Amino acid sequence: MVLPCLGLLLVFAYWPAVRGVVLSLYGNDLLGDPSRFVGLDQYADVFTDPDLRRALLTTAAIAALSVLLSVGGALAAVLPLRRAARRPRAVASVLLSLPFAYSAAASAAVFAGLFAPAVGTLNEVLHHIGITGPEWLRSPAWAVLAVSLATAWYEFGFAFLVLLAAVTHLDQQVIEAAALDGASGLRLARSVIIPMLRPSLVFLLVTQTISGLQVFTQVQVLTRGGPAGATSTLVYELYQRAFGEALPHVGSASALAMVLLLLVLLVTAIQFGVLRRWA
């Protein structure tokens, strides 16, 4: 009974991973096919190529900003709903969880309309209140922020659902005891409710970081890695090397994919080690 699932994993997960390791050790001919053994040379290129080093830093920045905004925003949205009436809470929950129902491409297309330099909705609103909006997708710093905002909004729905479920199942006796002792408002949230949510917060920090390190769709739709490569992430660089150039560099892209896999494993292990005590 387990064999069909194992077969699917072997075909679509483990075999591609093994094949990726093999391809990363070979250079390519003019057709992009592996032709000669180059060992770890392509792995060394990942850390010596200035474009890839910049992509690594950009990936880290986008992941950190998107995780902070999505998890922090979800927490700020969930806490007031804890004491809301049943029907308003249900309506608010549906509206706030909607981002989880959208595809990454669709949500990024919406943000492309918001951030458009000349006719963008966001700059139009800012203009009406007397503020000159920045060139969101043409300035390197603003473009990174724009991609981070689009990614955070896309991830917000999942974070909100997880925290909403956690808040719903909190031990009310502990909260009532704290309220009887005089805790209320921000003090109650900071000293009682948020500590009780720590396991869910750790789960979100780990999963959202993994997702942030693999961001691609928002970059492809909003900026295509621009301006001047400022928003090019590791996955976008991987895609460009394997599929976006006239001469595909499948070996180099495979090496980059293996480095990204190791990076995700390393970051996840560090997060578990650091956050386990906090949780």
Side-chain angles (χ1 to χ4, degrees), residues 212-228:
L213 291 173
Q214 300 178 75
V215 63
F216 167 77
T217 305
Q218 290 81 4
V219 175
Q220 174 73 356
V221 174
L222 290 174
T223 64
R224 295 187 179 275

Side-chain angles (χ1 to χ4, degrees), residues 158-278:
F158 175 73
F160 174 79
L161 287 175
V162 171
L163 291 179
L164 180 64
V167 165
T168 304
H169 293 86
L170 289 179
D171 190 342
Q172 295 302 315
Q173 292 183 346
V174 175
I175 297 175
E176 291 172 1
L180 289 174
D181 286 338
S184 62
L186 291 177
R187 180 60 185 273
L188 180 65
R190 180 172 58 87
S191 300
V192 180
I193 297 176
I194 292 178
M196 295 172 71
L197 293 175
R198 282 178 181 174
S200 297
L201 289 172
V202 169
F203 168 76
L204 284 174
L205 289 173
V206 172
T207 56
Q208 301 288 68
T209 300
I210 293 173
S211 179
L213 291 173
Q214 300 178 75
V215 63
F216 167 77
T217 305
Q218 290 81 4
V219 175
Q220 174 73 356
V221 174
L222 290 174
T223 64
R224 295 187 179 275
T231 59
S232 183
T233 61
L234 288 178
V235 178
Y236 186 79
E237 284 287 341
L238 186 160
Y239 168 80
Q240 287 295 107
R241 292 183 177 224
F243 307 108
E245 301 176 358
L247 176 60
H249 298 278
V250 178
S252 177
S254 298
L256 188 54
M258 293 302 108
V259 170
L260 178 61
L261 172 62
L262 294 175
L263 175 64
V264 169
L265 291 175
L266 176 62
V267 171
T268 302
I270 293 174
Q271 283 184 315
F272 273 124
V274 173
L275 297 175
R276 183 178 298 160
R277 298 177 183 176
W278 183 70

Side-chain angles (χ1 to χ4, degrees), residues 25-234:
L25 301 176
Y26 282 82
N28 305 112
D29 58 21
L30 293 178
L31 298 177
D33 298 322
S35 59
R36 68 190 188 284
F37 182 79
V38 297
L40 299 178
D41 290 349
Q42 294 178 132
Y43 287 91
D45 290 341
V46 173
F47 299 100
T48 57
D49 189 325
D51 291 336
L52 292 182
R53 289 204 303 268
R54 181 175 60 182
L56 178 61
L57 294 176
T58 300
T59 301
I62 292 175
L65 281 172
S66 60
V67 169
L68 178 64
L69 292 172
S70 62
V71 177
L75 182 62
V78 161
L79 291 177
L81 290 179
R82 186 182 61 86
R83 300 182 62 182
R86 183 174 181 179
R87 182 166 296 179
R89 182 173 58 185
V91 173
S93 299
V94 171
L95 293 177
L96 292 172
S97 61
L98 275 180
F100 188 50
Y102 287 95
S103 69
S107 64
V110 171
F111 274 87
L114 288 174
F115 293 133
V119 295
T121 306
L122 184 54
N123 279 358
E124 185 68 20
V125 172
L126 293 175
H127 174 73
H128 282 295
I129 60 176
I131 299 175
T132 301
E135 293 187 335
W136 291 98
L137 303 179
R138 294 179 180 176
S139 169
W142 287 109
V144 171
L145 178 60
V147 172
S148 301
L149 288 171
T151 305
W153 187 86
Y154 176 67
E155 300 288 350
F156 172 85
F158 175 73
F160 174 79
L161 287 175
V162 171
L163 291 179
L164 180 64
V167 165
T168 304
H169 293 86
L170 289 179
D171 190 342
Q172 295 302 315
Q173 292 183 346
V174 175
I175 297 175
E176 291 172 1
L180 289 174
D181 286 338
S184 62
L186 291 177
R187 180 60 185 273
L188 180 65
R190 180 172 58 87
S191 300
V192 180
I193 297 176
I194 292 178
M196 295 172 71
L197 293 175
R198 282 178 181 174
S200 297
L201 289 172
V202 169
F203 168 76
L204 284 174
L205 289 173
V206 172
T207 56
Q208 301 288 68
T209 300
I210 293 173
S211 179
L213 291 173
Q214 300 178 75
V215 63
F216 167 77
T217 305
Q218 290 81 4
V219 175
Q220 174 73 356
V221 174
L222 290 174
T223 64
R224 295 187 179 275
T231 59
S232 183
T233 61
L234 288 178

